[in-house]
């Protein structure tokens, strides 16, 4: 399937910003069942300083704000060809050794709620059946509710609250995997919902390592493995390493954010 993506992120500030830098991980990856046919990133109110590839083979664009700006807009647009591999990404590549994907982070550290959920799933940890069971158990423990979670929540926070969004589902799934020595990682990207062109936002899911298959994706929020409607943009140990936009700025200006994402079959 060939997908056309338009993604606009617009920031406004209530007073001029003296200095700011942002890292964008918005460029889809080529390989493992998807091919980027074209992709452009345009910035209004700032400029792209450089592009580089990070430790997860993510394309990172570093942008600076124009001095004294009160708004900045990032436009991303492109076309990606996606094959249906039933969620199987395949063999590991890149700079990160496999043991790094067993490492806990602040967002994926196993507390008592994570440990209880992980050990309650029947089957052999790391098997395909167990991972699908973990996905279902995570979705049952953390109901999907927008507007009621926090970007700084950990897996334990989400389980304690009993609700969250795709970021929380992914962190819980990853934390459970790592607790039982199953390598897992976070994925950010795009999802085309069948009933609309305008999407609510970018999407997030998880991938786990299965002996004999390699990396396999699990979209806990939707209860499936990714298909041709999914486009992988960035991977990391957690949200912080795969966030679509992250950065720092000086000053005390208040910030307002609006995001428009369109994904449609070409």
């Amino acid at each position: 399937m060939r997908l056309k993506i338009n993604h606009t992120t617009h920031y406004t500030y209530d007073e001029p910003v003296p200095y700011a830098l942002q890292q964008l991980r918005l460029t889809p990856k080529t390989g493992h069942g998807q091919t980027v046919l074209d992709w452009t990133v345009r910035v209004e109110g700032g400029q792209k300083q450089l592009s580089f590839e990070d430790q997860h083979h993510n394309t990172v664009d570093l942008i600076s704000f124009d001095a004294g700006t009160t708004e900045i807009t990032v436009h991303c647009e492109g076309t990606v060809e996606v094959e249906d591999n039933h969620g199987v990404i395949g063999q590991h590549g890149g700079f990160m050794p496999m043991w790094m994907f067993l490492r806990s982070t602040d967002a994926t550290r196993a507390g008592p709620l994570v440990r209880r959920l992980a050990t309650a799933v029947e089957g052999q940890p790391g098997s395909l059946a167990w991972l699908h069971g973990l996905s279902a158990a995570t979705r049952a423990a953390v109901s999907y509710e927008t507007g009621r979670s926090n970007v700084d929540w950990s897996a334990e926070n989400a389980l304690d609250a009993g609700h969250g969004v795709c970021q929380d589902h992914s962190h819980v799934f990853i934390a459970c995997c790592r607790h039982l020595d199953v390598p897992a990682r976070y994925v950010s990207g795009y999802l085309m919902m069948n009933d609309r062109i305008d999407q609510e936002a970018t999407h997030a899911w998880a991938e786990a390592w299965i002996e004999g298959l390699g990396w396999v994706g699990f979209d806990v929020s939707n209860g499936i493995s990714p298909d041709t409607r999914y486009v992988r943009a960035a991977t990391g140990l957690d949200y912080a390493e795969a966030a679509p936009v992250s950065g720092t700025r000086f000053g005390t200006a208040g910030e307002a954010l609006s995001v428009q994402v369109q994904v449609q079959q070409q």
Side-chain angles (χ1 to χ4, degrees):
M1 183 183 291
R2 186 169 293 185
L3 299 178
K4 181 70 174 178
I5 300 169
N6 287 276
H7 180 188
T8 300
T9 306
H10 182 65
Y11 294 89
T12 56
Y13 302 93
D14 57 14
E15 60 183 71
V17 176
Y19 179 80
L21 283 174
Q22 284 187 334
Q23 292 186 28
L24 311 179
R25 289 177 173 82
L26 295 169
T27 301
K29 296 171 179 274
T30 286
H32 300 297
Q34 69 179 35
T35 303
V36 180
L37 303 179
D38 59 83
W39 192 263
T40 59
V41 178
R42 295 185 295 107
V43 182
E44 298 174 10
Q47 55 187 315
K48 189 190 299 186
Q49 296 293 337
L50 57 90
S51 295
F52 62 92
E53 194 171 82
D54 70 9
Q55 69 273 26
H56 295 285
H57 274 325
N58 301 320
T59 297
V60 184
D61 293 312
L62 184 66
I63 65 170
S64 63
F65 287 28
D66 294 338
T69 190
T70 56
E71 60 182 304
I72 188 166
T73 306
V74 178
H75 301 278
C76 300
E77 181 179 2
T79 311
V80 182
E81 185 101 45
V82 185
E83 302 172 10
D84 191 358
N85 293 331
H86 306 286
V88 178
I89 302 303
Q91 295 305 303
H92 182 60
F95 307 112
M96 299 286 282
M98 187 61 68
W99 58 262
M100 281 293 291
F101 297 97
L102 294 170
R103 176 176 170 266
S104 292
T105 66
D106 288 343
T108 62
R109 188 161 288 113
L113 298 178
V114 167
R115 293 194 293 268
R116 186 183 309 155
L117 178 65
T119 55
V121 178
E122 296 182 355
Q124 177 62 40
S127 67
L128 184 60
W130 183 85
L131 289 162
H132 279 296
L134 174 61
S135 177
T138 300
R139 192 167 63 258
V142 181
S143 62
Y144 186 90
E145 296 183 35
T146 59
R148 295 187 61 203
S149 69
N150 189 299
V151 70
D152 295 324
W153 271 6
S154 67
E156 199 74 7
N157 293 146
L159 284 169
D160 183 53
H163 55 77
V165 293
C166 56
Q167 173 182 315
D168 303 303
H169 283 154
S170 300
H171 282 155
V172 171
F173 181 93
I174 292 166
C176 290
C177 285
R178 292 176 183 165
H179 173 60
L180 295 178
D181 295 325
V182 179
R185 64 188 180 188
Y186 188 100
V187 187
S188 65
Y190 299 96
L191 167 61
M192 182 186 71
M193 301 295 287
N194 290 333
D195 59 346
R196 72 198 73 167
I197 293 174
D198 292 306
Q199 313 299 325
E200 292 181 359
T202 56
H203 195 50
W205 58 98
E207 290 173 354
W209 176 262
I210 302 176
E211 290 296 333
L213 283 178
W215 289 109
V216 179
F218 296 87
D219 179 2
V220 176
S221 300
N222 289 300
I224 63 172
S225 286
D227 53 27
T228 55
R229 299 170 300 154
Y230 290 73
V231 173
R232 300 166 74 248
T235 56
L237 296 180
D238 56 17
Y239 169 80
E241 289 197 336
V245 181
S246 61
T248 186
R249 61 184 171 88
F250 294 160
T252 58
E255 178 184 273
L257 167 67
S258 64
V259 178
Q260 293 180 318
V261 179
Q262 291 186 333
V263 186
Q264 58 186 309
Q265 186 173 357
Q266 192 177 57

